[in-house]
Amino acid sequence: MIIMDDKKKNLLKSSLGVIALLVVLLLLPLIQTSMMPFIMNLLIMSFIYICLAESWNILAGFCGLLSMGHCAFFGLGAYITVMVIIYFDMTLLLAILISVLFNSILAYIIGAISIRVKDIFFAMVTLAVAQLLFSLSMQWVDVTRGPRGLIMPPLYNLDRRYLYYIALAMVVIYVAIVLLIRRSRLGTMLLSLRDNEILAKSLGVNTSKWKIVATIISAVMASLVGSFYILYIRSVQPGSVFTFDVTMKIMIVAFIGGRGTAKGPILGAIIIIIDELIRGWLGGTYAGLPGIIYGLILALFVVFMPNGLISIFNLKDKSTSRSAPKKEVI
Amino acid sequence: MGSLDFPSFMTILISGLCTGGVYGLFSSSFSFQLGALNVADFSFGSWLMLSMYLTFFMYKEWNIGIIPFGVILFGSYFIISFLMSKFIYIKRKTDDNMIITMGISLIIQNAATLLFSSYPRSLGIIEKTIVVGGVQITITKLIMLFLSAILLLGFQLFLNKTWTGKTIRAVVQNKEVASLMGINSNRVINLAFSLSYVMLAASGIMLVTLFSVEPTAGGFYQMMSFFICIIAGLGNIRGAFFSGLLIGFLTAILNIISSQFAMVMMFLIFVIFLVVKPTGLFTAKSRG
């Protein structure tokens, strides 16, 4: 009989759980019921937010750069993809590549900004960039058609089931990327930026370079989700991608799951499912209620459970999660 | 721009300057929070919006006089912010505070949507104007400019002359030493935070006489106040008032150039300014 130590046992247990979950998710679309489109929509929406939260995690969880305009990358990805297809009549793949290129340029600029400004300044710069893009997409009616938004041409009309598998694959890849980054040299560098930038600098870490690299990785990830979003929803309006609500949802997913962890957002996606259910249940009545619940959840989680849901499950991701806030010594 | 004659150009500029005065008032209260007390308060704009809403309903629906209303509003803002500071903000780090205040802001904004509906409300005051050489100046705006200047002057005097004001400045300059001198630092910080909220409530009352209010208005004012106190240099209260005037001026000019892209240009200037000179134009000698 093979004797396993605790660590291996835990690893086996958690990997068995992950495999079981994956198999269930893979087989799910094969079931034929009338509820299936609804369930699939729920899952795809939560997959989108898991991916976005993973990309946000690289900036905010690893580097400590609290990005409050993450919807800018996501929305720009969606907008550029559909604009290239509509106005220049290019193929989908090329459109996605171009949107990634644009996002990298934006990320380079924001990364360059992040070298100069910190904490709340960085948060405000990213917020302002998102606001800028929102105003631009609202006002530049000739190109973006203003608040009515842009509609994807019917050429790329994929079956919902394929989209589901694409989204699932994206989630798996994104989680793997974040895990890999965490375990690589790059992850260690980024964590050192978060914990003590001056010390990291003095030890010879090129902080400016790694900040820009992290921003670009994060932006490209968010941009690809944006391209997927336009394939799935088939239309994009300024109000649905560039508003603060989107950033809010991303942050809530990341926070509830556990900031700075790779597996956290998967748990955090529960909130997206709950949200869609509440919205469906309430319909158009009680317009502000979901937002109130969101705000309460966010504030209460930061106060009472700063490490997120993942701290309950006690998965082997502890090293990256933040320690509980210490009381300030006076 | 070519079709605009000089008097109407001046009218727009002066009106921008007057609204800039009120911007300056709430921004200096924000600047005081962020620069002096080190609280990154993202619920600031929403509280401002709430104060505007309450003033609107006081005037239109509830039939309370302005003085009892003022007492109730200032009192409740004082108590709420004192409790928030005492139990939440003072114990936590900046980025946790940012997220918590953001949650609070979300609650207020959506509660306003739920209770008051998202329809924009305006007091609709018919304004008297005085005309000087073809330039029209609305009296309400002029009053608001002077009122905010007086309020700020009062706050400055309070900080400089009274005992409580002096303790606030001492704690802002050096918390540890102030504690050693027998000042209850935490209570002083809570008090200062509450005072900035009273100032916020006052500027809410003034703002609703000039603009209409809707639940999402808070985000805009939040952004504006941040912009203004960055231009002034963090914690510089007097500078915040003057850069408020500057921003009012700038908004008016941008609207004359192109009303369609005014906001886009505004945010562009904001981002460029933050990158080029994050320390501000009027650099503060001492913080607070």
Side-chain angles (χ1 to χ4, degrees), chain A residues 49 71 74-75 79 134 229 233 235-243 246:
Chain A
Y49 278 99
C71 57
F74 169 62
Y79 257 102
F134 177 76
Y229 176 86
I233 304 282
S235 74
V236 57
Q237 295 87 24
S240 63
V241 289
F242 283 132
T243 50
V246 178

Side-chain angles (χ1 to χ4, degrees), chain A residues 68 116 121 124-125 139 288, chain B residues 102 110 226 230 260 274-275:
Chain A
M68 297 223 172
R116 302 199 52 150
F121 294 93
M124 286 313 284
V125 168
Q139 300 294 342
Chain B
M102 202 156 268
N110 285 291
F226 193 83
I230 288 296
Q260 194 187 0
L274 254 179
V275 175

